[in-house]
Amino acid sequence: MKKRLILLFAPILFSSLLSFLPSIIYNTAMPIKIVRPNTITYQKTLSYTGQVESVETREIYLETAVIPEDVFVEPGTRVQKGEVLAKIDTRLTKSVLSQGINESNKNQDLKEKTLLEQYGKVYGLTGEAAAQVFHTEKTASPIQQLDGDFLVPSEIVSPIDGIITQVHLFADTLYSPNQAAIVVNSAESCKITIQLRQSDVDDVQVGTKALVQGEGLNGRIYQAEVQKIFPAAQKEYSGFTSETVIQTELRVQDWDENLKSGYSVEVILMPEEPVEYFSLPYEAICQDENNIEYVWVVQKGRAVRRDIITGEELPEAIEIQEGLSFSDNVIFSPSAIEDNQLVHVQMEGSND
């Protein structure tokens, strides 16, 4: 009777055991994440802060003081070469200058007369004798010889096509020639100046491409190119430290009026063309005591060691030169894995 019962229930028990076997195996397998090798495009870049400057700046200086009758421009005005920027009241200017020169001559004569009188009293000389000692016989000054016909311009014109950046002239107000009357920046393009680090000199040359971006540019990214690398280096100090740099100029190729002279911008130099790399995340790479690099590959539900050869180290991944293919499932961030160990995939990692 017992044998019959055993024979009767044995198939049922065996069948039940088989049904639970996958669960038992699954529970004993180590949960893992996997990642597959992937091709990524990488381009080496160098980041700098640059200063936007006009390609050409023309400062208009006058040889004499003037009184403008009208000033037709202000900072931001776009002008063309030869365009009249200001009209000068020549008659009023000459009148004011004549009064100033006459007054100056009177003051100079008074100073000389006083000096000669003091010298004559000390040495018992007449004024004429003292004048001969000092060789101060009077001669007509060059301005006086003009008989009031001063060289006063009737108008000021722009020397280039551009944008007015500074105006120091005001209607009916005397202008002193100790500063530029008007400053005009070229409207054709602009340049950006950076201080190139000595450590980056070997990577950058004339013609190196760059991107320009920053605040106040409406999100636009400009194309630029290295135009000039200065021949001499200099020290740039920051607190108690210094760095050797070389002034470098870039020409903006698609300039518009949003990129204003004086702006600080981010310059991203691209010394190399984009390159594609067959790669894996750093988290998937292991190294043994002999400095041999390897990964764990999932094969038929088990972890199998695979030695690899790596190449270029990228910001978030490393190039795989030998040992893997696109179809390999590599364990991501392995921990305490043993060769031929049972594993089950919990989720896939990312290798974007």
Side-chain angles (χ1 to χ4, degrees):
M1 184 67 179
K2 291 182 178 179
K3 290 182 178 180
R4 289 182 178 180
L5 290 174
I6 292 173
L7 292 174
L8 180 63
F9 288 105
I12 299 174
L13 292 173
F14 185 73
S15 177
S16 299
L17 181 61
L18 288 177
S19 65
F20 284 107
L21 186 59
S23 297
I24 296 172
I25 295 174
Y26 182 86
N27 290 331
T28 58
M30 176 176 286
I32 60 167
K33 298 177 183 179
I34 63 169
V35 64
R36 293 185 180 89
N38 191 17
T39 298
I40 62 173
T41 301
Y42 172 74
Q43 184 173 30
K44 182 178 181 179
T45 60
L46 304 170
S47 184
Y48 283 87
T49 297
Q51 186 80 14
V52 180
E53 300 175 2
S54 174
V55 172
E56 182 180 9
T57 298
R58 300 292 290 272
E59 298 180 333
I60 303 174
Y61 281 89
L62 303 180
E63 296 181 356
T64 183
V66 296
I67 300 176
E69 182 177 337
D70 286 303
V71 179
F72 306 116
V73 294
E74 61 184 15
T77 303
R78 180 179 286 272
V79 297
Q80 296 181 342
K81 182 178 181 179
E83 182 176 339
V84 177
L85 308 180
K87 184 178 180 182
I88 307 302
D89 190 330
T90 55
R91 182 175 180 179
L92 180 58
T93 297
K94 291 179 181 180
S95 174
V96 171
L97 291 181
S98 296
Q99 294 176 11
I101 291 172
N102 291 335
E103 188 65 27
S104 176
N105 288 340
K106 290 179 182 178
N107 292 337
Q108 184 64 24
D109 290 344
L110 182 60
K111 290 179 181 178
E112 291 181 0
K113 182 178 180 181
T114 302
L115 177 62
L116 294 176
E117 287 178 353
Q118 292 176 351
Y119 185 84
K121 289 180 181 179
V122 173
Y123 293 98
L125 299 176
T126 63
E128 184 178 353
Q132 290 177 353
V133 173
F134 279 97
H135 304 287
T136 57
E137 293 83 353
K138 295 195 183 298
T139 58
S141 71
I143 296 179
Q144 285 177 310
Q145 291 173 356
L146 292 175
D147 296 329
D149 188 15
F150 306 114
L151 301 177
V152 178
S154 60
E155 58 186 22
I156 300 173
V157 299
S158 177
I160 59 173
D161 293 342
I163 298 174
I164 303 298
T165 58
Q166 297 180 42
V167 178
H168 300 293
L169 292 176
F170 303 94
D172 301 323
T173 302
L174 182 66
Y175 156 80
S176 177
N178 58 358
Q179 63 180 338
I182 298 175
V183 179
V184 188
N185 284 354
S186 170
E188 295 180 358
S189 183
C190 69
K191 64 182 179 181
I192 296 176
T193 300
I194 64 172
Q195 301 301 325
L196 184 66
R197 294 181 289 268
Q198 183 178 350
S199 58
D200 293 335
V201 169
D202 291 339
D203 293 326
V204 180
Q205 56 188 342
V206 173
T208 295
K209 304 295 183 182
L211 299 177
V212 178
Q213 59 188 13
E215 297 180 355
L217 303 179
N218 295 325
R220 182 172 176 184
I221 299 177
Y222 296 85
Q223 305 290 326
E225 184 176 289
V226 174
Q227 185 180 33
K228 181 179 181 181
I229 300 175
F230 282 64
Q234 57 190 7
K235 290 289 186 182
E236 189 175 68
Y237 293 91
S238 177
F240 295 102
T241 62
S242 66
E243 186 176 25
T244 302
V245 297
I246 300 176
Q247 184 171 326
T248 302
E249 293 181 356
L250 296 92
R251 183 72 174 264
V252 178
Q253 298 171 330
D254 51 352
W255 173 88
D256 62 19
E257 293 184 8
N258 288 324
L259 199 59
K260 295 178 173 58
S261 179
Y263 270 11
S264 290
V265 293
E266 180 185 5
V267 178
I268 303 173
L269 295 170
M270 299 177 292
E272 300 175 359
E273 293 296 323
V275 179
E276 289 189 344
Y277 293 96
F278 181 63
S279 65
L280 268 180
Y282 287 103
E283 294 87 345
I285 310 299
C286 303
Q287 190 176 56
D288 64 16
E289 62 276 7
N290 297 318
N291 294 326
I292 297 176
E293 293 178 312
Y294 65 93
V295 296
W296 292 103
V297 178
V298 179
Q299 292 182 349
K300 297 180 179 180
R302 295 183 180 273
V304 178
R305 171 171 164 160
R306 182 85 59 82
D307 292 348
I308 61 172
I309 296 177
T310 61
E312 193 74 22
E313 294 183 358
L314 310 174
E316 298 180 358
I318 190 167
E319 179 189 13
I320 305 299
Q321 295 181 338
E322 292 184 19
L324 293 174
S325 65
F326 285 102
S327 60
D328 287 322
N329 292 323
V330 180
I331 297 178
F332 182 81
S333 191
S335 177
I337 297 289
E338 297 179 0
D339 200 15
N340 211 34
Q341 182 175 357
L342 284 171
V343 294
H344 71 87
V345 178
Q346 195 173 45
M347 63 181 295
E348 293 190 6
S350 175
N351 185 28
D352 295 333

